[in-house]
Amino acid sequence: MSGNVILVTGGSGLVGQGIKHIIETEPAGSRFGKRDNETWIFAASSEGDLRDAEQTRKLFDKYKPTHVIHLAAIVGGVFANMKSNASFLRDNMLINDNILHTAYLTQVKKVVSCLSTCVFPDKVTYPLDESKIHLGPPHPSNFGYSHAKRTVDIQNRAYKEQYGCNFTSAIPTNVFGPYDNFDLEDAHVIPALIHKCLLAKENKTPFVVAGTGKPLRQFIYSRDLGKMFIWMLRDYDDVDPVILSGKLGEAEEITIKQVTDAIVKAVGFQGDYTFDTTKADGQYRKPASNKKLISLMGGFEYTPFEDENYDIARTGMKKKTAA
């Protein structure tokens, strides 16, 4: 392969498919479209276990990437994290170390890794910004995953200082969109709620949501996020991470109850709908500022979070309306 070869790890997942959709549908040569000198590889987990150094090296030898967008991770919702902090820590540390060290060994020109807002301290002044990652311990519910992701920022800085590597990272807020994980044990909040609500409707049973519904979250559509990753890959060359969030940044927080209400309406669920307040809420809020993103990236058209995005989240297509 000649030109730039961009390897996207975790390429079959939510964010990877968001990037792929943009590359395949935006006009060629446009701001976010595919360029003539680019070959994009969206690698699925079936192509190798990235926890294994040898399999990671084989993946790099196969595709010979010049650039990497590193999305692959072992992920889960709040209850999966609470049950498996040691596994989430070890598995993700292995994946990240193998990707970054292999990228260094094979002289990859640039790596953009995907972090999460869970890297931020549990007790910190709001809004969150890129300077606050290491100011205290993360929330105890997912400290294993959080520390593994937080370490990527340290690794990026170490590889830059010692070897001059162009490694950086992105910190998205909560992502939703097509190709999400809808598994009830491991899914994040929106796909888990969609799945539970559909089951309740089909089985004519109550729809019970874990927690109080009061925690606040920011959401970003996976295809908007795909554009931001493409921008970072091409135009952002600083080791410091960038928060990738919605148009209004921390002002865009909505409650889990608001999200659930939208899903109930979209699904057409008319049965009993309650919150189980005996279950843990997880972190109450983590409002993140997008000032750095907006100042660097400039004008950007976001997809709004609306009821119709239930259909986008499931299928990637807006619901058709009667003429």
Side-chain angles (χ1 to χ4, degrees), residues 167-180:
F167 294 173
T168 190
S169 55
I171 309 175
T173 54
N174 293 63
V175 191
F176 74 99
Y179 300 94
D180 208 340

Side-chain angles (χ1 to χ4, degrees), residues 131-196:
S131 69
K132 297 177 180 178
I133 295 174
H134 303 287
L135 295 185
H139 192 271
S141 65
N142 59 358
F143 71 90
Y145 180 79
S146 301
H147 277 298
K149 285 294 188 179
R150 201 185 265 196
T151 303
V152 172
D153 179 56
I154 298 170
Q155 290 174 291
N156 287 344
R157 295 174 191 279
Y159 276 95
K160 178 180 176 66
E161 179 184 294
Q162 186 169 348
Y163 303 118
C165 295
N166 187 3
F167 294 173
T168 190
S169 55
I171 309 175
T173 54
N174 293 63
V175 191
F176 74 99
Y179 300 94
D180 208 340
N181 172 18
F182 287 81
D183 184 273
L184 289 177
E185 290 295 318
D186 299 328
H188 287 115
V189 60
I190 286 182
L193 289 171
I194 290 173
H195 192 168
K196 282 186 175 182

Side-chain angles (χ1 to χ4, degrees), residues 77-113:
V78 60
F79 297 107
N81 273 276
M82 289 170 69
K83 290 188 297 184
S84 307
N85 269 301
S87 298
F88 277 103
L89 174 65
R90 186 170 188 271
D91 288 344
N92 285 293
M93 290 284 285
L94 287 169
I95 290 170
N96 298 333
D97 185 60
N98 287 334
I99 289 294
L100 294 179
H101 194 61
T102 305
Y104 154 66
L105 292 175
T106 57
Q107 299 182 316
V108 167
K109 295 176 183 178
K110 185 172 184 179
V111 179
V112 180
S113 295

